[in-house]
Amino acid sequence: MADPGAPDIDTAPKAAAVSEPVEVPHNEKRKQSIFLDAERRKEKLAAIAENTTGEIKNPLVGIPKDQLIRDVEDFAAEFDITDITPYLIKGALVAQNPGRIDSIHELDNEDRRVLTEEVTRKWKHPRILYVTIVLNSIAACVQGWDQTGSNGANLTFAIQMGISDNPKYCATAAICSKNSWLVGFVNSSPYIAICLFAAWISDPVNHFLGRRGTIFIAAIFSVLAPIGSGLTQKWGQLVACRVLLGLGMGLKEVTVPVYSAEIAPTSIRGGLVMSWQVWTAFGIFLGTCANLVFVNTGSIAWRLQLASAFVPAVPLVLGIFFCPESPRWLLKKRKIPQAYKSLLRLRNSPLQAARDLYFIHAQLVYEDALLEESGLSKNGNMFTRFIELFTIPRLRRATQASGIVMIAQQMCGINIIAFYSSTIFEQSGANNITALLASFGFGLVNFVFAWPAIWTIDTFGRRGLLLFTFPNMCWSLLAAGMSYYISPSSRAHLGLVTFFIYVYDAFYSPGEGPVPFTYSAEVFPLSHREVGMSWAVATNNFWATVVSLTFPRQLKAFGVQGAFGFYAGMNVIALVLIFLFLPETKQRTLEELDYVFGVTTRAHAKYQLTKALPWWFKRYVLWRKDATCEELYHFEQGEGLESDRDSTKPEAAFSEEEANSLIWHSNVRGGRGFDLRVNEVRSMRGMILHL
């Protein structure tokens, strides 16, 4: 029975019940609360596995009010949280019908005010949420600084350690060629460690230690490894320290974006998660500053440039355990009371915390059932979960999409500049200080132009940003390469090279900069989120290894013009892959993405080629303002107001075929939230999300 403070809800059984509830064992109650009968369960699971219609469904749709309330009370009793049953009941009703809060009689005016402010004041959240994001941003800052320490050190460390590929310092061409590979190996060693080891151990480390514990371990490596790098005497020792640095970088790369995605509200998740890239860019900027600060310190310059990266890791070590643990991770571990306490700290009201708690729980039922229907274990080890990334259709599509967006980050060519910009500018005729100043400008542009994505990533969307920025990165990188044909004696040579590299950087920062880690952190279901992110990070760093290892040799073989032209062509290939195979994820909860990735790859690609592309040509080439594009995804809100139904009515009374509908029009360009309109035509099904 609910507590005395519970809302006034009539849960008494009706006299004319059509059918008796199905008795199930206690351990099946979780499943029964979502799947009312075997036929409905089969339909729901089929909808997730092969979502050919593009419908994004709410798992609570179709559950009558009295049944839903009983489910909530059973859930509260099972996990000993009966003291919050009133909030859970109201939260479940809101989660079932988020667009019709005015019609839910159990809500009072204060409840409606809080829920309305999620749209009208979407950035209003508890301070601890932003504190946690700030600490995650510090982790990203460490990542960026680690990357650029070697950028400045490349000008001198190879000479000091006797592995320079400059003909002035190596006796023969063969030795110079060998040294080019050694310099590339030293620079790529953190990324080798990430793709071969660190990314993969993050799954079991997250499993046992949680998000906070994993970030703490990563921060320890990020403090000690840079200091060790500055104290090395031989290139082999430097490689060993950079491998340890890669362990810390890999654990952070996998965990921090996932942690940010799991604590952030849906409406601002993209903006908060992409803080990873903004502050990675800031770390790159700080690294270029440190390179300039220590440039005149003589033979120890490279040591100070490498060691200085430990500084931002110190507050991360000290502060991470003051943050709440991920509520989704706690729910996965069935620590329900702790998950609710965590959500209380991260949301504005107990109602919102209870709503999110129960809705995440409902979606976890879907994930568990989908795995069981696939004949695979939902509690398997890391190797089992890794195999499932390629064998379960929904997971395979997410794996493919995250792999594409991660590979595209390396195909676009950003890391040839991030790792070797000082070397590139030096080959343009700049001296050491001028080259470092030009790299400083590169870091500044990267940081400044990353900021717009905080607002645009949840409006224009992840896919939209990529489709806009990749063509512009292509031409600007090609122009930078062609500028090398200008005589080096001309002042225009260095000026135009620098200008076009900055233009390229300005297009990279709000697009392919923030999107890959934001996207990969959100596309996998909770059951496979760690191993899925491990796959994405390993993919990214494998190709970062290839870029870092081969670019010194590529420079000698192709010259800067050929190298830049090669990566300009890679931008075109990446654009095609993104256009055909990358679904949009903006404004969807982490759990609703099960349905987005239920749309088959063939159906998605066919839609882009036969619907989206012709519309774009008519609208922006022929300038036909009357051109329209059929939407791919349809958001099914459900059967009128489920909270006004009960399970004793005939089944046809809540049939999905006879449902009322709403249209949620996301006025993303104006930022005014959701325009709710009741559709008077009863035969129209579902809700259409205008992307």
Side-chain angles (χ1 to χ4, degrees), residues 42-55 57 370 374 391-397 594-604:
K42 185 176 180 180
E43 291 174 355
K44 293 284 188 179
L45 291 174
I48 299 175
E50 296 293 336
N51 185 8
T52 57
T53 64
E55 288 180 326
K57 302 183 180 181
L370 179 59
S374 302
T391 55
I392 299 176
R394 180 263 183 265
L395 294 174
R396 185 170 61 244
R397 294 175 196 120
D594 281 343
Y595 286 99
V596 171
F597 286 95
V599 175
T600 64
T601 301
R602 183 185 300 244
H604 184 273

Side-chain angles (χ1 to χ4, degrees), residues 327-573:
R328 284 180 171 86
W329 182 84
L330 290 168
L331 271 160
K332 180 182 176 182
K333 308 297 285 188
R334 296 181 68 79
K335 298 180 178 180
I336 309 302
Q338 295 94 318
Y340 179 68
K341 290 177 182 177
S342 180
L343 282 166
L344 275 178
R345 298 182 66 190
L346 295 167
R347 300 294 182 262
N348 288 318
S349 71
L351 171 61
Q352 292 166 306
R355 176 201 60 192
D356 290 354
L357 183 76
Y358 193 74
F359 192 69
I360 295 169
H361 156 77
Q363 286 287 356
L364 288 177
V365 174
Y366 274 110
E367 292 181 11
D368 291 351
L370 179 59
L371 292 178
E372 290 179 8
E373 290 290 319
S374 302
L376 299 166
S377 171
K378 63 178 181 286
N379 296 316
N381 58 32
M382 185 189 77
F383 299 103
T384 302
R385 292 196 298 275
F386 177 73
I387 292 171
E388 290 169 355
L389 292 180
F390 302 93
T391 55
I392 299 176
R394 180 263 183 265
L395 294 174
R396 185 170 61 244
R397 294 175 196 120
T399 301
Q400 172 185 276
S402 64
I404 287 172
V405 78
M406 285 296 197
I407 292 172
Q409 190 174 65
Q410 304 306 326
M411 293 173 72
C412 77
I414 186 62
N415 281 335
I416 65 174
I417 302 173
F419 298 160
Y420 295 104
S421 62
S422 298
T423 304
I424 291 170
F425 289 125
E426 188 182 44
Q427 291 201 8
S428 299
N431 58 33
N432 278 12
I433 294 179
T434 303
L436 289 173
L437 281 170
S439 294
F440 166 82
F442 171 82
L444 181 61
V445 170
N446 193 21
F447 175 58
V448 170
F449 281 87
W451 279 100
I454 290 181
W455 293 273
T456 58
I457 199 168
D458 281 319
T459 53
F460 295 112
R462 289 74 159 141
R463 177 184 166 85
L465 287 175
L466 296 181
L467 293 178
F468 172 73
T469 55
F470 262 93
N472 289 293
M473 286 192 290
C474 176
W475 73 259
S476 55
L477 190 61
L478 186 63
M482 295 303 100
S483 297
Y484 274 83
Y485 286 112
I486 300 173
S487 172
S489 61
S490 171
R491 295 179 62 183
H493 177 86
L494 179 59
L496 284 176
V497 168
T498 304
F499 172 74
F500 283 117
I501 286 178
Y502 287 178
V503 171
Y504 164 84
D505 194 21
F507 283 116
Y508 166 83
S509 291
E512 185 61 14
V515 169
F517 285 91
T518 301
Y519 192 88
S520 299
E522 64 191 6
V523 297
F524 294 99
L526 183 56
S527 57
H528 290 68
R529 195 160 291 157
E530 295 97 337
V531 72
M533 191 63 180
S534 296
W535 148 263
V537 168
T539 301
N540 183 279
N541 282 275
F542 172 79
W543 292 105
T545 298
V546 172
V547 169
S548 183
L549 189 62
T550 60
F551 189 67
R553 187 64 191 148
Q554 193 177 32
L555 273 180
K556 290 198 171 292
F558 294 171
V560 178
Q561 303 96 315
F564 278 20
F566 172 80
Y567 281 101
M570 290 293 100
N571 275 274
V572 176
I573 296 174

